[in-house]
Amino acid sequence: DVKVTQSSRYLVKRTGEKVFLECVQDMDHENMFWYRQDPGLGLRLIYFSYDVKMKEKGDIPEGYSVSREKKERFSLILESASTNQTSMYLCASSLWANYYEQYFGPGTRLTVT
Amino acid sequence: QKEVEQDPGPLSVPEGAIVSLNCTYSNSAFQYFMWYRQYSRKGPELLMYTYSSGNKEDGRFTAQVDKSSKYISLFIRDSQPSDSATYLCAMSAETSGSRLTFGEGTQLTVNP
């Protein structure tokens, strides 16, 4: 059974803190993605990676960075958390060839106070 | 204006009803059309995908794409309470690499 896991289901951080969200997939997928999901705005792409150490900006990369040192692991970093980054964060992965079939993790609900 | 528009609902129907979920889009380069289903407190999962125009059927689910009208639909026949979820449409152009553009999602409740 394919699996994408995220390091935390719920996270509460203070404004200005550095936040790390980790994602691991066990399917040997080339592509990995970070989205945030907000009511009224849907799923928005923050960053994605199509190979180790490769990354591309999505639609809303401001305030975020990513790291992919190993094929199975993709990290999202909030350098200095702000209250407008309170959201549900979803990680996904896919094969390069079948990119339309993305497998999602369960999400991390991040609250920044 | 959003590239993909989807009525967020909520939509509430009785068990056994036929459900129609729809999305419109503005980017004529979109070629891949997907429907994802998201249960509460879970990540989305791919339900169906269609390449270019036409219909695709999978059990009780039928996906339709009308590229001339820039309109896609998902029909659910004989709806069940287990179909209660948020349904997200997603689209992609061949030139956009691995990026998908998602609709906002429609929240569906099927009442027993």
Side-chain angles (χ1 to χ4, degrees):
Chain A
D1 196 17
V2 297
K3 210 162 193 181
V4 178
T5 56
Q6 295 184 228
S7 49
S8 306
R9 289 304 302 271
Y10 301 95
L11 211 51
V12 179
K13 295 291 182 181
R14 294 197 181 275
T15 302
E17 278 194 84
K18 191 168 186 175
V19 181
F20 292 88
L21 302 181
E22 294 232 305
C23 175
V24 178
Q25 51 96 1
D26 65 0
M27 297 164 282
D28 202 32
H29 284 173
E30 294 89 358
N31 296 332
M32 295 189 76
F33 308 84
W34 274 107
Y35 295 91
R36 62 178 285 177
Q37 187 173 30
D38 301 286
L41 297 174
L43 273 169
R44 292 180 292 166
L45 182 65
I46 305 171
Y47 268 98
F48 73 99
S49 169
Y50 51 89
D51 202 351
V52 174
K53 297 191 186 295
M54 305 303 289
K55 61 185 179 184
E56 284 202 24
K57 292 180 180 178
D59 299 317
I60 51 165
E62 297 79 18
Y64 303 95
S65 63
V66 290
S67 173
R68 193 169 180 197
E69 296 296 318
K70 293 185 177 182
K71 190 176 184 180
E72 67 271 18
R73 192 177 297 268
F74 193 35
S75 301
L76 180 70
I77 303 148
L78 287 66
E79 294 290 342
S80 178
S82 63
T83 55
N84 63 12
Q85 292 178 311
T86 291
S87 185
M88 172 66 81
Y89 289 88
L90 288 159
C91 175
S93 71
S94 74
L95 288 169
W96 174 256
N98 296 350
Y99 66 88
Y100 50 82
E101 185 170 11
Q102 296 188 7
Y103 292 84
F104 284 82
T108 295
R109 169 70 65 185
L110 173 67
T111 302
V112 183
T113 62
Chain B
Q1 186 188 359
K2 294 179 184 176
E3 271 192 301
V4 178
E5 298 277 0
Q6 184 176 8
D7 186 341
L11 184 62
S12 182
V13 301
E15 184 175 352
I18 296 174
V19 176
S20 172
L21 304 168
N22 311 296
C23 289
T24 59
Y25 63 94
S26 57
N27 187 347
S28 57
F30 286 146
Q31 292 276 29
Y32 287 90
F33 303 91
M34 283 69 69
W35 287 96
Y36 281 78
R37 178 175 62 195
Q38 184 175 21
Y39 290 115
S40 180
R41 292 186 295 277
K42 302 272 188 182
E45 58 179 348
L46 180 67
L47 194 57
M48 298 181 72
Y49 83 92
T50 309
Y51 176 72
S52 195
S53 282
N55 294 358
K56 191 171 187 177
E57 191 172 315
D58 184 2
R60 296 184 293 109
F61 298 88
T62 300
Q64 284 187 354
V65 175
D66 182 348
K67 292 191 72 179
S68 62
S69 302
K70 297 191 178 70
Y71 188 89
I72 71 169
S73 300
L74 178 71
F75 297 96
I76 307 173
R77 291 185 299 281
D78 187 25
S79 56
Q80 302 295 309
S82 58
D83 296 328
S84 298
T86 297
Y87 290 81
L88 302 102
C89 62
M91 308 181 188
S92 180
E94 289 183 346
T95 54
S96 61
S98 302
R99 300 169 65 132
L100 303 184
T101 302
F102 284 86
E104 187 180 336
T106 300
Q107 185 181 343
L108 170 68
T109 300
V110 181
N111 301 298

